[in-house]
Short mmCIF file of all heavy atoms in Angstrom, two decimals:
data_model
loop_
_atom_site.label_atom_id
_atom_site.label_comp_id
_atom_site.label_asym_id
_atom_site.label_seq_id
_atom_site.Cartn_x
_atom_site.Cartn_y
_atom_site.Cartn_z
N MET A 26 21.40 14.08 -12.07
CA MET A 26 22.08 13.01 -11.48
C MET A 26 21.57 11.70 -12.15
O MET A 26 20.32 11.50 -12.17
CB MET A 26 21.90 12.90 -9.94
CG MET A 26 22.35 11.66 -9.35
SD MET A 26 22.00 11.65 -7.53
CE MET A 26 23.63 11.90 -6.98
N GLU A 27 22.33 10.89 -12.65
CA GLU A 27 21.91 9.73 -13.29
C GLU A 27 21.97 8.56 -12.28
O GLU A 27 22.85 8.37 -11.55
CB GLU A 27 22.81 9.35 -14.55
CG GLU A 27 22.29 8.24 -15.27
CD GLU A 27 23.09 8.14 -16.65
OE1 GLU A 27 23.37 9.17 -17.20
OE2 GLU A 27 23.34 7.06 -17.04
N THR A 28 20.89 7.78 -12.26
CA THR A 28 20.83 6.63 -11.34
C THR A 28 20.71 5.34 -12.12
O THR A 28 20.12 5.31 -13.17
CB THR A 28 19.65 6.69 -10.40
OG1 THR A 28 18.41 6.77 -11.20
CG2 THR A 28 19.71 7.94 -9.55
N ASP A 29 21.24 4.30 -11.56
CA ASP A 29 21.16 2.97 -12.26
C ASP A 29 20.43 1.92 -11.39
O ASP A 29 20.50 0.77 -11.69
CB ASP A 29 22.58 2.45 -12.69
CG ASP A 29 23.49 2.30 -11.55
OD1 ASP A 29 23.11 2.64 -10.34
OD2 ASP A 29 24.60 1.80 -11.72
N ASN A 30 19.85 2.41 -10.23
CA ASN A 30 19.16 1.41 -9.37
C ASN A 30 17.69 1.15 -9.91
O ASN A 30 17.17 1.95 -10.66
CB ASN A 30 19.18 1.90 -7.92
CG ASN A 30 18.43 3.17 -7.76
OD1 ASN A 30 17.49 3.45 -8.39
ND2 ASN A 30 18.91 3.96 -6.70
N GLU A 31 17.14 0.12 -9.33
CA GLU A 31 15.82 -0.35 -9.83
C GLU A 31 14.75 0.72 -9.56
O GLU A 31 13.86 0.88 -10.37
CB GLU A 31 15.55 -1.67 -9.10
CG GLU A 31 14.31 -2.31 -9.57
CD GLU A 31 14.12 -3.65 -8.89
OE1 GLU A 31 14.99 -4.51 -8.89
OE2 GLU A 31 13.04 -3.82 -8.28
N LEU A 32 14.80 1.39 -8.44
CA LEU A 32 13.83 2.25 -8.07
C LEU A 32 13.94 3.68 -8.67
O LEU A 32 12.98 4.49 -8.70
CB LEU A 32 13.68 2.46 -6.53
CG LEU A 32 13.35 1.15 -5.76
CD1 LEU A 32 13.37 1.41 -4.26
CD2 LEU A 32 11.96 0.62 -6.14
N GLY A 33 15.09 4.01 -9.17
CA GLY A 33 15.34 5.31 -9.68
C GLY A 33 15.47 6.35 -8.65
O GLY A 33 15.43 7.54 -8.95
N ASP A 34 15.67 5.99 -7.39
CA ASP A 34 15.89 7.07 -6.38
C ASP A 34 17.32 7.57 -6.39
O ASP A 34 18.16 7.10 -7.11
CB ASP A 34 15.47 6.59 -4.92
CG ASP A 34 16.34 5.39 -4.52
OD1 ASP A 34 17.47 5.27 -4.97
OD2 ASP A 34 15.84 4.67 -3.62
N GLU A 35 17.51 8.62 -5.72
CA GLU A 35 18.83 9.29 -5.72
C GLU A 35 19.74 9.02 -4.59
O GLU A 35 20.82 9.56 -4.46
CB GLU A 35 18.56 10.82 -5.81
CG GLU A 35 17.93 11.20 -7.12
CD GLU A 35 17.54 12.71 -7.19
OE1 GLU A 35 17.91 13.40 -6.26
OE2 GLU A 35 16.97 13.07 -8.17
N LEU A 36 19.31 8.14 -3.67
CA LEU A 36 20.17 7.81 -2.51
C LEU A 36 21.31 6.85 -2.98
O LEU A 36 21.18 5.95 -3.71
CB LEU A 36 19.40 6.96 -1.47
CG LEU A 36 18.27 7.79 -0.68
CD1 LEU A 36 17.62 6.88 0.24
CD2 LEU A 36 18.95 8.98 0.06
N GLU A 37 22.47 7.27 -2.48
CA GLU A 37 23.76 6.60 -2.82
C GLU A 37 24.04 5.67 -1.76
O GLU A 37 23.70 5.78 -0.57
CB GLU A 37 24.82 7.61 -3.04
CG GLU A 37 24.62 8.63 -4.17
CD GLU A 37 24.57 7.99 -5.49
OE1 GLU A 37 25.21 6.95 -5.76
OE2 GLU A 37 23.89 8.55 -6.34
N ASP A 38 24.76 4.52 -2.12
CA ASP A 38 25.12 3.54 -1.15
C ASP A 38 26.02 4.05 -0.01
O ASP A 38 26.02 3.59 1.15
CB ASP A 38 25.93 2.38 -1.80
CG ASP A 38 25.04 1.51 -2.76
OD1 ASP A 38 23.84 1.59 -2.49
OD2 ASP A 38 25.60 0.93 -3.65
N GLU A 39 26.76 5.16 -0.24
CA GLU A 39 27.70 5.64 0.74
C GLU A 39 27.03 6.47 1.84
O GLU A 39 27.66 6.89 2.77
CB GLU A 39 28.89 6.48 0.10
CG GLU A 39 28.44 7.72 -0.57
CD GLU A 39 28.13 7.56 -2.10
OE1 GLU A 39 28.07 6.43 -2.48
OE2 GLU A 39 28.01 8.56 -2.75
N TYR A 40 25.70 6.82 1.72
CA TYR A 40 25.01 7.52 2.79
C TYR A 40 24.98 6.67 4.03
O TYR A 40 24.58 5.51 3.93
CB TYR A 40 23.64 7.95 2.37
CG TYR A 40 23.56 8.99 1.22
CD1 TYR A 40 22.60 8.87 0.36
CD2 TYR A 40 24.54 9.92 1.18
CE1 TYR A 40 22.48 9.90 -0.62
CE2 TYR A 40 24.48 10.95 0.15
CZ TYR A 40 23.47 10.84 -0.75
OH TYR A 40 23.39 11.73 -1.73
N ASP A 41 25.38 7.21 5.22
CA ASP A 41 25.39 6.48 6.44
C ASP A 41 24.39 7.13 7.39
O ASP A 41 24.63 8.08 7.98
CB ASP A 41 26.81 6.44 7.03
CG ASP A 41 26.85 5.66 8.37
OD1 ASP A 41 25.84 4.96 8.69
OD2 ASP A 41 27.95 5.68 8.99
N PHE A 42 23.17 6.53 7.48
CA PHE A 42 22.11 7.13 8.26
C PHE A 42 22.27 6.78 9.74
O PHE A 42 21.55 7.28 10.59
CB PHE A 42 20.85 6.72 7.83
CG PHE A 42 20.49 7.26 6.42
CD1 PHE A 42 20.47 6.47 5.34
CD2 PHE A 42 20.12 8.62 6.32
CE1 PHE A 42 20.26 7.04 4.10
CE2 PHE A 42 19.85 9.15 5.07
CZ PHE A 42 19.92 8.36 3.89
N SER A 43 23.25 5.85 10.12
CA SER A 43 23.39 5.47 11.52
C SER A 43 23.92 6.58 12.37
O SER A 43 23.83 6.52 13.56
CB SER A 43 24.37 4.27 11.57
OG SER A 43 25.59 4.63 11.20
N GLU A 44 24.49 7.57 11.72
CA GLU A 44 25.08 8.74 12.41
C GLU A 44 24.07 9.98 12.53
O GLU A 44 24.45 10.99 13.10
CB GLU A 44 26.41 9.13 11.69
CG GLU A 44 27.45 8.11 11.87
CD GLU A 44 28.78 8.50 11.31
OE1 GLU A 44 28.95 9.70 10.95
OE2 GLU A 44 29.62 7.65 11.05
N MET A 45 22.91 9.76 11.99
CA MET A 45 21.95 10.87 12.00
C MET A 45 21.46 11.06 13.47
O MET A 45 21.14 10.12 14.08
CB MET A 45 20.73 10.62 11.09
CG MET A 45 21.12 10.79 9.69
SD MET A 45 19.62 10.61 8.66
CE MET A 45 18.69 11.99 9.14
N LYS A 46 21.41 12.24 13.90
CA LYS A 46 20.87 12.57 15.23
C LYS A 46 19.38 12.86 15.18
O LYS A 46 18.98 13.61 14.35
CB LYS A 46 21.64 13.75 15.89
CG LYS A 46 23.18 13.41 16.17
CD LYS A 46 23.86 14.56 16.81
CE LYS A 46 25.19 14.39 17.18
NZ LYS A 46 26.08 13.41 16.61
N GLY A 47 18.70 12.31 16.11
CA GLY A 47 17.21 12.64 16.25
C GLY A 47 16.32 11.87 15.21
O GLY A 47 15.11 12.05 15.27
N ALA A 48 16.88 11.01 14.37
CA ALA A 48 16.09 10.26 13.52
C ALA A 48 15.41 9.16 14.26
O ALA A 48 15.97 8.50 15.15
CB ALA A 48 16.91 9.71 12.39
N VAL A 49 14.16 8.93 13.88
CA VAL A 49 13.31 7.80 14.47
C VAL A 49 12.78 6.95 13.39
O VAL A 49 12.07 7.41 12.50
CB VAL A 49 12.16 8.44 15.33
CG1 VAL A 49 11.30 7.38 15.89
CG2 VAL A 49 12.62 9.36 16.34
N ARG A 50 13.15 5.69 13.43
CA ARG A 50 12.66 4.73 12.38
C ARG A 50 11.19 4.44 12.62
O ARG A 50 10.69 4.26 13.69
CB ARG A 50 13.44 3.35 12.57
CG ARG A 50 13.05 2.49 11.44
CD ARG A 50 13.87 1.20 11.59
NE ARG A 50 13.43 0.26 10.55
CZ ARG A 50 14.21 -0.36 9.70
NH1 ARG A 50 15.53 -0.09 9.82
NH2 ARG A 50 13.76 -1.17 8.79
N GLY A 51 10.42 4.65 11.39
CA GLY A 51 9.05 4.39 11.49
C GLY A 51 8.19 5.42 12.21
O GLY A 51 7.06 5.12 12.64
N LYS A 52 8.70 6.66 12.24
CA LYS A 52 8.01 7.65 12.99
C LYS A 52 6.58 7.87 12.52
O LYS A 52 5.72 8.14 13.37
CB LYS A 52 8.80 8.97 12.84
CG LYS A 52 8.28 10.12 13.67
CD LYS A 52 9.27 11.36 13.49
CE LYS A 52 8.81 12.49 14.31
NZ LYS A 52 9.77 13.65 14.21
N TYR A 53 6.33 7.77 11.24
CA TYR A 53 5.02 8.01 10.70
C TYR A 53 4.34 6.80 10.20
O TYR A 53 3.30 6.80 9.60
CB TYR A 53 5.13 9.06 9.50
CG TYR A 53 5.70 10.39 10.03
CD1 TYR A 53 6.98 10.68 9.70
CD2 TYR A 53 4.90 11.27 10.72
CE1 TYR A 53 7.52 11.95 10.16
CE2 TYR A 53 5.41 12.47 11.10
CZ TYR A 53 6.76 12.81 10.84
OH TYR A 53 7.19 14.06 11.19
N ALA A 54 4.87 5.66 10.58
CA ALA A 54 4.31 4.35 10.11
C ALA A 54 2.84 4.17 10.59
O ALA A 54 1.99 3.70 9.82
CB ALA A 54 5.16 3.23 10.53
N LYS A 55 2.57 4.42 11.82
CA LYS A 55 1.23 4.24 12.37
C LYS A 55 0.25 5.11 11.58
O LYS A 55 -0.85 4.65 11.18
CB LYS A 55 1.21 4.56 13.84
CG LYS A 55 -0.14 4.21 14.49
CD LYS A 55 -0.16 4.57 16.00
CE LYS A 55 -1.49 4.33 16.52
NZ LYS A 55 -1.58 4.51 17.96
N GLN A 56 0.54 6.39 11.38
CA GLN A 56 -0.36 7.29 10.67
C GLN A 56 -0.63 6.74 9.24
O GLN A 56 -1.69 6.81 8.72
CB GLN A 56 0.27 8.69 10.64
CG GLN A 56 0.21 9.42 11.90
CD GLN A 56 0.90 10.73 11.80
OE1 GLN A 56 2.18 10.79 11.94
NE2 GLN A 56 0.22 11.72 11.50
N TYR A 57 0.49 6.32 8.64
CA TYR A 57 0.36 5.82 7.22
C TYR A 57 -0.52 4.69 7.14
O TYR A 57 -1.37 4.55 6.17
CB TYR A 57 1.76 5.51 6.68
CG TYR A 57 1.76 5.02 5.35
CD1 TYR A 57 1.69 5.79 4.21
CD2 TYR A 57 1.88 3.57 5.04
CE1 TYR A 57 1.63 5.34 2.92
CE2 TYR A 57 1.84 3.11 3.77
CZ TYR A 57 1.80 4.00 2.71
OH TYR A 57 1.69 3.54 1.47
N HIS A 58 -0.47 3.75 8.07
CA HIS A 58 -1.27 2.47 7.98
C HIS A 58 -2.61 2.56 8.67
O HIS A 58 -3.40 1.60 8.67
CB HIS A 58 -0.40 1.38 8.59
CG HIS A 58 0.80 1.01 7.79
ND1 HIS A 58 0.68 0.40 6.58
CD2 HIS A 58 2.06 1.18 8.00
CE1 HIS A 58 1.88 0.21 6.06
NE2 HIS A 58 2.77 0.67 6.85
N GLU A 59 -2.88 3.68 9.34
CA GLU A 59 -4.16 3.77 10.01
C GLU A 59 -5.35 3.66 9.04
O GLU A 59 -5.37 4.33 8.03
CB GLU A 59 -4.26 5.18 10.67
CG GLU A 59 -5.06 5.20 11.96
CD GLU A 59 -4.80 6.57 12.66
OE1 GLU A 59 -5.52 7.55 12.38
OE2 GLU A 59 -3.89 6.52 13.59
N GLY A 60 -6.20 2.76 9.31
CA GLY A 60 -7.40 2.51 8.53
C GLY A 60 -7.08 1.64 7.25
O GLY A 60 -7.95 1.43 6.56
N VAL A 61 -5.92 1.07 7.21
CA VAL A 61 -5.56 0.29 6.08
C VAL A 61 -5.49 -1.26 6.60
O VAL A 61 -4.94 -1.45 7.62
CB VAL A 61 -4.17 0.59 5.47
CG1 VAL A 61 -3.75 -0.47 4.43
CG2 VAL A 61 -4.21 1.93 4.86
N LYS A 62 -6.11 -2.11 5.85
CA LYS A 62 -6.09 -3.46 6.20
C LYS A 62 -5.54 -4.34 5.09
O LYS A 62 -5.99 -4.24 3.94
CB LYS A 62 -7.49 -4.01 6.53
CG LYS A 62 -7.56 -5.45 7.09
CD LYS A 62 -8.95 -5.84 7.56
CE LYS A 62 -9.12 -5.21 8.92
NZ LYS A 62 -10.10 -5.83 9.76
N LEU A 63 -4.49 -5.09 5.40
CA LEU A 63 -3.86 -5.92 4.29
C LEU A 63 -4.53 -7.22 4.27
O LEU A 63 -4.63 -7.89 5.32
CB LEU A 63 -2.42 -6.10 4.66
CG LEU A 63 -1.59 -6.94 3.66
CD1 LEU A 63 -1.59 -6.25 2.36
CD2 LEU A 63 -0.20 -7.15 4.20
N ILE A 64 -5.05 -7.60 3.07
CA ILE A 64 -5.73 -8.93 2.90
C ILE A 64 -4.96 -9.69 1.78
O ILE A 64 -4.70 -9.07 0.76
CB ILE A 64 -7.18 -8.64 2.44
CG1 ILE A 64 -7.97 -7.77 3.39
CG2 ILE A 64 -7.90 -9.96 2.22
CD1 ILE A 64 -8.29 -8.30 4.78
N MET A 65 -4.71 -10.96 2.02
CA MET A 65 -4.01 -11.70 1.07
C MET A 65 -5.10 -12.41 0.17
O MET A 65 -6.01 -13.03 0.67
CB MET A 65 -3.19 -12.81 1.76
CG MET A 65 -2.09 -12.30 2.61
SD MET A 65 -0.91 -11.28 1.75
CE MET A 65 -0.09 -12.53 0.77
N LEU A 66 -4.97 -12.28 -1.17
CA LEU A 66 -5.89 -12.86 -2.03
C LEU A 66 -5.39 -14.19 -2.55
O LEU A 66 -4.18 -14.39 -2.71
CB LEU A 66 -6.07 -11.97 -3.25
CG LEU A 66 -6.62 -10.56 -2.99
CD1 LEU A 66 -6.66 -9.78 -4.33
CD2 LEU A 66 -7.98 -10.58 -2.33
N GLU A 67 -6.30 -15.16 -2.62
CA GLU A 67 -5.93 -16.44 -3.23
C GLU A 67 -5.48 -16.15 -4.76
O GLU A 67 -6.01 -15.22 -5.37
CB GLU A 67 -7.13 -17.40 -3.19
CG GLU A 67 -7.53 -17.73 -1.85
CD GLU A 67 -6.50 -18.59 -1.05
OE1 GLU A 67 -5.79 -19.36 -1.72
OE2 GLU A 67 -6.36 -18.43 0.13
N PRO A 68 -4.62 -17.01 -5.25
CA PRO A 68 -4.15 -16.77 -6.66
C PRO A 68 -5.20 -16.64 -7.69
O PRO A 68 -5.12 -15.82 -8.64
CB PRO A 68 -3.26 -18.03 -6.87
CG PRO A 68 -2.72 -18.46 -5.57
CD PRO A 68 -3.92 -18.10 -4.62
N ASP A 69 -6.29 -17.50 -7.60
CA ASP A 69 -7.32 -17.34 -8.64
C ASP A 69 -8.06 -16.09 -8.53
O ASP A 69 -8.45 -15.53 -9.61
CB ASP A 69 -8.26 -18.60 -8.53
CG ASP A 69 -8.98 -18.67 -7.13
OD1 ASP A 69 -8.24 -18.36 -6.20
OD2 ASP A 69 -10.16 -18.98 -7.20
N VAL A 70 -8.16 -15.60 -7.36
CA VAL A 70 -8.89 -14.24 -7.18
C VAL A 70 -7.95 -13.13 -7.73
O VAL A 70 -8.46 -12.18 -8.30
CB VAL A 70 -9.33 -14.01 -5.80
CG1 VAL A 70 -9.98 -12.67 -5.50
CG2 VAL A 70 -10.37 -15.15 -5.32
N ALA A 71 -6.74 -13.22 -7.36
CA ALA A 71 -5.74 -12.20 -7.78
C ALA A 71 -5.56 -12.10 -9.26
O ALA A 71 -5.27 -10.97 -9.77
CB ALA A 71 -4.36 -12.50 -7.15
N LYS A 72 -5.90 -13.10 -10.07
CA LYS A 72 -5.85 -13.04 -11.49
C LYS A 72 -6.96 -12.19 -12.00
O LYS A 72 -6.78 -11.41 -12.93
CB LYS A 72 -5.98 -14.43 -12.11
CG LYS A 72 -4.77 -15.25 -12.06
CD LYS A 72 -4.98 -16.63 -12.72
CE LYS A 72 -3.78 -17.53 -12.50
NZ LYS A 72 -4.01 -18.85 -13.13
N ILE A 73 -8.09 -12.21 -11.26
CA ILE A 73 -9.25 -11.38 -11.74
C ILE A 73 -9.08 -10.01 -11.25
O ILE A 73 -9.59 -9.02 -11.94
CB ILE A 73 -10.59 -12.08 -11.17
CG1 ILE A 73 -10.71 -13.47 -11.75
CG2 ILE A 73 -11.80 -11.25 -11.44
CD1 ILE A 73 -11.77 -14.29 -11.11
N PHE A 74 -8.62 -9.82 -10.02
CA PHE A 74 -8.47 -8.50 -9.32
C PHE A 74 -7.01 -8.21 -9.15
O PHE A 74 -6.45 -8.44 -8.05
CB PHE A 74 -9.23 -8.45 -8.07
CG PHE A 74 -10.73 -8.75 -8.25
CD1 PHE A 74 -11.17 -9.95 -7.86
CD2 PHE A 74 -11.60 -7.78 -8.80
CE1 PHE A 74 -12.59 -10.18 -8.04
CE2 PHE A 74 -12.91 -8.10 -8.99
CZ PHE A 74 -13.42 -9.27 -8.53
N PRO A 75 -6.30 -7.67 -10.13
CA PRO A 75 -4.75 -7.56 -10.00
C PRO A 75 -4.36 -6.43 -9.15
O PRO A 75 -3.09 -6.32 -8.92
CB PRO A 75 -4.38 -7.37 -11.53
CG PRO A 75 -5.61 -6.69 -12.12
CD PRO A 75 -6.78 -7.27 -11.43
N ASP A 76 -5.15 -5.53 -8.72
CA ASP A 76 -4.69 -4.38 -8.01
C ASP A 76 -5.72 -3.98 -6.90
O ASP A 76 -6.90 -4.44 -6.91
CB ASP A 76 -4.20 -3.15 -8.82
CG ASP A 76 -5.37 -2.76 -9.72
OD1 ASP A 76 -6.59 -2.96 -9.41
OD2 ASP A 76 -5.05 -2.19 -10.77
N ALA A 77 -5.35 -3.10 -5.98
CA ALA A 77 -6.24 -2.64 -4.97
C ALA A 77 -7.44 -1.94 -5.43
O ALA A 77 -8.55 -2.06 -4.94
CB ALA A 77 -5.49 -1.71 -3.97
N LYS A 78 -7.28 -1.08 -6.47
CA LYS A 78 -8.34 -0.44 -7.11
C LYS A 78 -9.43 -1.35 -7.59
O LYS A 78 -10.61 -1.11 -7.25
CB LYS A 78 -7.94 0.59 -8.22
CG LYS A 78 -9.04 1.29 -8.77
CD LYS A 78 -8.49 2.23 -9.91
CE LYS A 78 -9.69 3.01 -10.49
NZ LYS A 78 -9.29 3.79 -11.67
N SER A 79 -9.15 -2.40 -8.27
CA SER A 79 -10.09 -3.28 -8.80
C SER A 79 -10.90 -4.08 -7.63
O SER A 79 -11.99 -4.31 -7.67
CB SER A 79 -9.45 -4.24 -9.84
OG SER A 79 -8.48 -5.05 -9.21
N VAL A 80 -10.08 -4.41 -6.61
CA VAL A 80 -10.69 -5.12 -5.52
C VAL A 80 -11.69 -4.17 -4.77
O VAL A 80 -12.80 -4.61 -4.44
CB VAL A 80 -9.57 -5.61 -4.50
CG1 VAL A 80 -10.20 -6.11 -3.22
CG2 VAL A 80 -8.69 -6.68 -5.12
N ASN A 81 -11.25 -2.96 -4.44
CA ASN A 81 -12.14 -2.07 -3.83
C ASN A 81 -13.41 -1.68 -4.57
O ASN A 81 -14.44 -1.68 -4.07
CB ASN A 81 -11.41 -0.76 -3.49
CG ASN A 81 -10.34 -0.95 -2.32
OD1 ASN A 81 -10.76 -1.67 -1.37
ND2 ASN A 81 -9.18 -0.42 -2.45
N GLU A 82 -13.27 -1.54 -5.94
CA GLU A 82 -14.48 -1.31 -6.75
C GLU A 82 -15.43 -2.52 -6.67
O GLU A 82 -16.67 -2.37 -6.50
CB GLU A 82 -14.06 -1.07 -8.21
CG GLU A 82 -13.47 0.30 -8.39
CD GLU A 82 -12.85 0.50 -9.79
OE1 GLU A 82 -12.90 -0.51 -10.61
OE2 GLU A 82 -12.46 1.57 -10.09
N ALA A 83 -14.88 -3.70 -6.72
CA ALA A 83 -15.75 -4.89 -6.69
C ALA A 83 -16.44 -5.02 -5.26
O ALA A 83 -17.66 -5.34 -5.30
CB ALA A 83 -14.94 -6.21 -6.99
N LEU A 84 -15.69 -4.81 -4.21
CA LEU A 84 -16.29 -4.88 -2.90
C LEU A 84 -17.27 -3.78 -2.65
O LEU A 84 -18.34 -4.07 -1.98
CB LEU A 84 -15.21 -4.91 -1.87
CG LEU A 84 -14.27 -6.14 -1.81
CD1 LEU A 84 -13.13 -5.92 -0.80
CD2 LEU A 84 -15.05 -7.28 -1.41
N ARG A 85 -17.03 -2.61 -3.23
CA ARG A 85 -18.06 -1.53 -3.00
C ARG A 85 -19.37 -1.91 -3.77
O ARG A 85 -20.50 -1.59 -3.32
CB ARG A 85 -17.50 -0.24 -3.47
CG ARG A 85 -16.53 0.37 -2.62
CD ARG A 85 -16.02 1.78 -3.09
NE ARG A 85 -15.01 2.27 -2.15
CZ ARG A 85 -13.74 2.34 -2.45
NH1 ARG A 85 -13.31 2.02 -3.64
NH2 ARG A 85 -12.86 2.74 -1.55
N ALA A 86 -19.16 -2.46 -4.99
CA ALA A 86 -20.46 -2.87 -5.77
C ALA A 86 -21.17 -3.98 -4.94
O ALA A 86 -22.36 -3.94 -4.89
CB ALA A 86 -19.93 -3.38 -7.08
N LEU A 87 -20.45 -4.96 -4.42
CA LEU A 87 -21.04 -6.02 -3.67
C LEU A 87 -21.76 -5.43 -2.43
O LEU A 87 -22.83 -5.83 -2.06
CB LEU A 87 -20.02 -7.05 -3.28
CG LEU A 87 -20.49 -8.26 -2.48
CD1 LEU A 87 -21.62 -9.02 -3.18
CD2 LEU A 87 -19.36 -9.15 -2.10
N ALA A 88 -21.01 -4.55 -1.74
CA ALA A 88 -21.69 -3.89 -0.51
C ALA A 88 -22.99 -3.21 -0.80
O ALA A 88 -23.90 -3.27 -0.06
CB ALA A 88 -20.61 -2.94 0.13
N LYS A 89 -22.97 -2.52 -2.04
CA LYS A 89 -24.18 -1.79 -2.40
C LYS A 89 -25.32 -2.78 -2.62
O LYS A 89 -26.42 -2.57 -2.14
CB LYS A 89 -23.92 -1.04 -3.69
CG LYS A 89 -25.04 -0.10 -4.11
CD LYS A 89 -24.63 0.71 -5.34
CE LYS A 89 -25.73 1.72 -5.62
NZ LYS A 89 -25.31 2.57 -6.74
N ILE A 90 -25.05 -3.96 -3.25
CA ILE A 90 -26.02 -4.95 -3.51
C ILE A 90 -26.56 -5.53 -2.14
O ILE A 90 -27.77 -5.66 -1.91
CB ILE A 90 -25.52 -6.13 -4.39
CG1 ILE A 90 -25.26 -5.56 -5.72
CG2 ILE A 90 -26.38 -7.27 -4.32
CD1 ILE A 90 -24.48 -6.53 -6.65
N ILE A 91 -25.61 -5.81 -1.21
CA ILE A 91 -26.03 -6.30 0.04
C ILE A 91 -26.89 -5.35 0.84
O ILE A 91 -27.87 -5.68 1.32
CB ILE A 91 -24.72 -6.70 0.87
CG1 ILE A 91 -24.06 -7.90 0.27
CG2 ILE A 91 -25.03 -6.96 2.43
CD1 ILE A 91 -22.66 -8.18 0.85
N GLN A 92 -26.50 -4.05 0.74
CA GLN A 92 -27.39 -3.00 1.43
C GLN A 92 -28.72 -2.86 0.88
O GLN A 92 -29.74 -2.74 1.58
CB GLN A 92 -26.59 -1.67 1.42
CG GLN A 92 -25.32 -1.63 2.24
CD GLN A 92 -24.51 -0.34 2.05
OE1 GLN A 92 -24.68 0.33 1.07
NE2 GLN A 92 -23.59 -0.10 3.00
N GLN A 93 -28.81 -2.94 -0.49
CA GLN A 93 -30.09 -2.83 -1.09
C GLN A 93 -30.91 -4.08 -0.72
O GLN A 93 -32.21 -3.78 -0.50
CB GLN A 93 -29.94 -2.77 -2.66
CG GLN A 93 -29.35 -1.47 -3.15
CD GLN A 93 -29.00 -1.50 -4.63
OE1 GLN A 93 -29.01 -2.48 -5.23
NE2 GLN A 93 -28.78 -0.31 -5.13
N HIS A 94 -30.43 -5.23 -0.63
CA HIS A 94 -31.24 -6.38 -0.29
C HIS A 94 -31.60 -6.38 1.16
O HIS A 94 -32.76 -6.82 1.53
CB HIS A 94 -30.44 -7.65 -0.65
CG HIS A 94 -30.53 -8.02 -2.08
ND1 HIS A 94 -30.46 -7.22 -3.12
CD2 HIS A 94 -30.80 -9.19 -2.72
CE1 HIS A 94 -30.54 -7.75 -4.26
NE2 HIS A 94 -30.81 -9.02 -4.04
N GLY A 95 -30.71 -5.79 1.99
CA GLY A 95 -31.06 -5.67 3.46
C GLY A 95 -32.23 -4.76 3.66
O GLY A 95 -33.04 -4.98 4.50
N LYS A 96 -32.33 -3.70 2.88
CA LYS A 96 -33.40 -2.72 3.02
C LYS A 96 -34.73 -3.20 2.51
O LYS A 96 -35.76 -2.97 3.09
CB LYS A 96 -33.01 -1.39 2.28
CG LYS A 96 -31.92 -0.62 2.94
CD LYS A 96 -31.57 0.62 2.12
CE LYS A 96 -30.46 1.36 2.72
NZ LYS A 96 -30.00 2.46 1.89
N ALA A 97 -34.65 -4.06 1.41
CA ALA A 97 -35.88 -4.56 0.85
C ALA A 97 -36.39 -5.76 1.63
O ALA A 97 -37.61 -6.03 1.64
CB ALA A 97 -35.56 -5.07 -0.62
N ALA A 98 -35.56 -6.31 2.45
CA ALA A 98 -36.09 -7.54 3.20
C ALA A 98 -36.88 -7.15 4.41
O ALA A 98 -36.88 -6.19 4.92
CB ALA A 98 -34.86 -8.42 3.61
#
C-alpha cells in the first residue's frame, strides 16, 4: 500500500472510528506517561541538548557529581 501522508501510516481518511463499539480514548495514556515528566527547555539550552537522550545523559553526569560531593562533604 502506498501512502503519501507525512507520517507514512496506513490509515485512510475514510475510516470512521466514531462507530467503533467499546473503544476508549486514551485507555493506555496513564500507563504510557507514568514516570515521565515533561520539561520545557529554554532555547539556548535546547541548542546544546537537542533531544531527550542528551539531556538525560547530562543530568545523570551532573547527578553523579552532586552525589560524589555530598558523600565527601
Side-chain angles (χ1 to χ4, degrees):
M26 171 183 254
E27 192 167 316
T28 61
D29 59 357
N30 63 31
E31 188 177 304
L32 298 176
D34 61 25
E35 297 176 1
L36 290 177
E37 300 295 330
D38 292 336
E39 65 267 12
Y40 293 145
D41 183 7
F42 293 105
S43 66
E44 295 181 15
M45 286 184 68
K46 293 182 177 22
V49 177
R50 183 180 179 127
K52 183 176 182 177
Y53 299 103
K55 183 178 179 183
Q56 288 174 274
Y57 178 78
H58 292 288
E59 212 168 85
V61 173
K62 185 173 280 201
L63 179 64
I64 306 291
M65 299 299 290
L66 300 178
E67 296 291 329
D69 60 322
V70 176
K72 284 181 184 177
I73 299 168
F74 303 103
D76 56 26
K78 182 179 178 186
S79 63
V80 172
N81 286 319
E82 287 175 355
L84 289 174
R85 286 184 183 107
L87 179 60
K89 188 175 182 178
I90 292 168
I91 291 169
Q92 289 171 344
Q93 289 173 346
H94 279 44
K96 290 178 183 176

